[in-house]
């Protein structure tokens, strides 16, 4: 007699609304608990993606957050340092369909307290402005240079020809805020498009799906075409994600990459969040073997010393000869994916940054 193993797997016939509901319940009730800042971060990210993707969520899914919504004023009063997370969650819940209008009162209170003026960076100021503008407040109405400074930063493409994760994510988020997450034309110039493509090339060379997905979304919001090679790789990568469920799974996973890859799918006209979801603790793991050749390429260029030039056509045979076969394939695909690869390589080679020895 054969043994029958019953798997606790959601039905493959789950509706989109059921999958959204399971995701929301998992993030709200099972992955993190209490007033953990990571709970705030994860739920703010999930709800923001669902809201700006136009997801249709059910009333039961929204009720998962009823306890949070009922006490959001108390949380904001005691944890004002997290006002951006708290506002984001509250506003997204209301805009996704939760009954209530607390968001406007909270935004007014945050404006009265001047929390946005305690932000150190222009990017955080832009985020605060975007959040509060959703309920009619602009904390930086007198700062006419805020957007100009942000545009100057994202238009300096040389910044994005070299690996710099902090700058790369600031670039994508600047586009998100300027476009109000795809709701308006951010009027990006050609230099900013180049910045995005340089960042995308670095992400592709690293096989960094998290960053590449954000770049593709930013390109779409900017009204620019997404390179087909990047999109094809990301779609395959997203389909290969492993979703595990049960009390034993760890929240130390690749949830953010999973969220932004599915967001990219939705933004580019494909079905996002298509995998079956459980109304339980879930963890999300990227496919194995996704490390890219960026480090190998960087080490190769560094060790070339005086033989290094910024001419990709001249350097191509020398560089490829020193890379592994897998690295050669990815570099070749990267080169094919964008007509800006030669210009990108000029900055990546760093031959113009001469430093006189002291």
């Amino acid at each position: 007699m054969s043994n029958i193993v019953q798997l606790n797997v959601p039905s493959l016939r789950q509706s989109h609304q059921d999958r959204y509901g399971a995701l929301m319940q998992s993030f709200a009730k099972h992955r993190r608990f209490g007033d953990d800042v990571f709970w705030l971060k994860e739920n703010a990210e999930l709800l923001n993606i669902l809201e700006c993707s136009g997801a249709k969520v059910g009333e039961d899914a929204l009720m998962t957050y009823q306890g949070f919504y009922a006490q959001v004023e108390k949380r904001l009063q005691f944890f004002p340092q997290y006002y951006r997370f708290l506002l984001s969650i509250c506003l997204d819940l209301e805009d996704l369909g939760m009954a209530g209008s607390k968001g406007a009162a909270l935004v007014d209170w945050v404006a009265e307290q001047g929390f946005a003026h305690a932000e150190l960076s222009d990017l955080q100021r832009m985020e605060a402005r975007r959040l509060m503008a959703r309920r009619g407040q602009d904390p930086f109405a007198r700062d006419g240079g805020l957007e100009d400074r942000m545009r100057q930063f994202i238009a300096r493409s040389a910044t994005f020809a070299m690996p710099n994760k902090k700058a790369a994510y600031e670039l994508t988020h600047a586009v998100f805020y300027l476009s109000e997450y795809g709701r308006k034309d951010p009027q990006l110039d050609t230099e900013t498009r180049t910045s995005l493509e340089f960042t995308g090339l670095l992400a592709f060379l690293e096989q960094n799906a998290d960053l590449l997905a954000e770049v593709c979304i930013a390109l779409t919001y900017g009204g620019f075409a997404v390179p087909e090679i990047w999109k094809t790789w990301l779609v395959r990568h997203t389909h290969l994600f492993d979703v595990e469920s049960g009390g034993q799974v760890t929240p130390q996973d690749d949830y953010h990459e999973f969220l932004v890859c599915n967001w990219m799918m939705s933004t580019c006209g494909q079905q996002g969040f298509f995998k079956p979801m459980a109304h339980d603790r879930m963890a999300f793991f990227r496919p194995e073997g996704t490390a890219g050749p960026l480090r190998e390429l960087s080490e190769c260029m560094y060790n070339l010393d005086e033989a290094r030039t910024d001419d990709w056509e001249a350097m191509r045979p020398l560089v490829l000869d020193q890379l592994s076969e897998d690295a050669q394939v990815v570099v070749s695909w990267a080169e094919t994916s964008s007509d800006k690869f030669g210009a990108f390589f000029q900055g990546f080679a760093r031959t113009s940054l001469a430093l006189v020895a002291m």
Side-chain angles (χ1 to χ4, degrees), residues 22-313:
L23 263 175
M24 292 167 71
Q25 186 174 96
S26 182
F27 276 74
K29 299 293 187 182
H30 300 295
R31 285 176 55 86
R32 308 280 184 178
F33 303 98
D35 292 310
D36 183 351
V37 66
F38 291 107
W39 186 96
L40 293 174
K41 180 178 184 295
E42 290 189 6
N43 282 273
E45 289 165 341
L46 170 65
L47 294 173
N48 179 52
I49 287 172
L50 292 178
E51 192 279 330
C52 68
S53 299
K56 305 299 182 184
V57 304
E59 184 176 349
D60 288 345
L62 291 169
M63 289 303 294
T64 303
Y65 290 90
Q66 185 58 46
F68 168 88
Y69 191 75
Q71 296 195 0
V72 65
E73 302 96 334
K74 179 180 178 180
R75 289 179 184 236
L76 181 57
Q77 183 179 22
F78 197 77
F79 300 108
Q81 67 271 37
Y82 302 137
Y83 79 94
R84 284 180 285 124
F85 283 149
L86 293 164
L87 281 185
S88 181
I89 294 172
C90 178
L91 298 179
D92 285 335
L93 286 171
E94 291 180 356
D95 292 349
L96 283 166
M98 177 170 277
S101 57
K102 292 185 175 187
L106 295 182
V107 166
D108 288 345
W109 186 76
V110 166
E112 291 171 4
Q113 300 302 312
F115 293 153
H117 294 280
E119 301 292 3
L120 182 62
S121 78
D122 280 342
L123 189 72
Q124 291 168 335
R125 295 186 189 104
M126 287 288 292
E127 181 186 5
R129 167 185 271 181
R130 184 257 167 182
L131 284 169
M132 297 172 70
R134 293 169 67 180
R135 295 298 185 270
Q137 288 278 2
D138 183 356
F140 299 107
R142 297 181 181 178
D143 187 354
L146 176 58
E147 187 171 309
D148 291 339
R149 294 192 300 273
M150 187 61 62
R151 291 185 182 277
Q152 288 174 2
F153 166 73
I154 63 178
R156 187 181 183 275
S157 59
T159 301
F160 307 100
M162 293 173 280
N164 184 335
K165 292 283 178 58
K166 181 176 182 293
Y169 281 104
E170 287 174 343
L171 166 65
T172 57
H173 282 73
V175 175
F176 297 161
Y177 303 148
L178 289 169
S179 70
E180 295 181 9
Y181 283 86
R183 288 173 173 81
K184 73 174 187 179
D185 181 359
Q187 299 183 332
L188 304 181
D189 54 26
T190 56
E191 289 81 5
T192 300
R193 179 179 186 173
T194 298
S195 296
L196 287 167
E197 290 207 35
F198 283 3
T199 302
L201 284 167
L202 282 169
F204 187 81
L205 287 168
E206 192 179 26
Q207 300 286 273
N208 182 339
D210 189 288
L211 177 56
L212 186 60
E214 289 204 7
V215 169
C216 291
I217 295 164
L219 283 168
T220 302
Y221 286 171
F224 305 129
V226 174
E228 198 62 35
I229 289 175
W230 299 356
K231 187 191 302 184
T232 300
W233 181 76
L234 281 170
V235 168
R236 179 180 182 276
H237 182 88
T238 307
H239 276 271
L240 291 175
F241 252 88
D242 184 27
V243 180
E244 299 181 5
S245 63
Q248 78 285 353
V249 300
T250 174
Q252 307 302 322
D253 60 353
D254 308 307
Y255 84 91
H256 187 270
E257 186 172 310
F258 177 80
L259 292 181
V260 295
C261 282
N262 280 278
W263 179 18
M264 181 281 306
M265 297 273 285
S266 300
T267 303
C268 293
Q270 308 227 8
Q271 177 59 53
F273 300 109
F274 50 84
K275 287 184 174 288
M277 302 289 175
H279 293 261
D280 197 352
R281 176 181 289 186
M282 288 191 289
F284 312 91
F285 299 99
R286 68 171 68 96
E288 295 181 0
T290 57
L294 180 61
R295 178 180 291 274
E296 189 177 344
L297 179 61
S298 293
E299 290 178 352
C300 169
M301 294 296 294
Y302 181 77
N303 291 327
L304 285 172
D305 294 325
E306 287 77 12
R308 184 171 76 246
T309 76
D310 64 1
D311 184 343
W312 171 242
E313 291 302 321

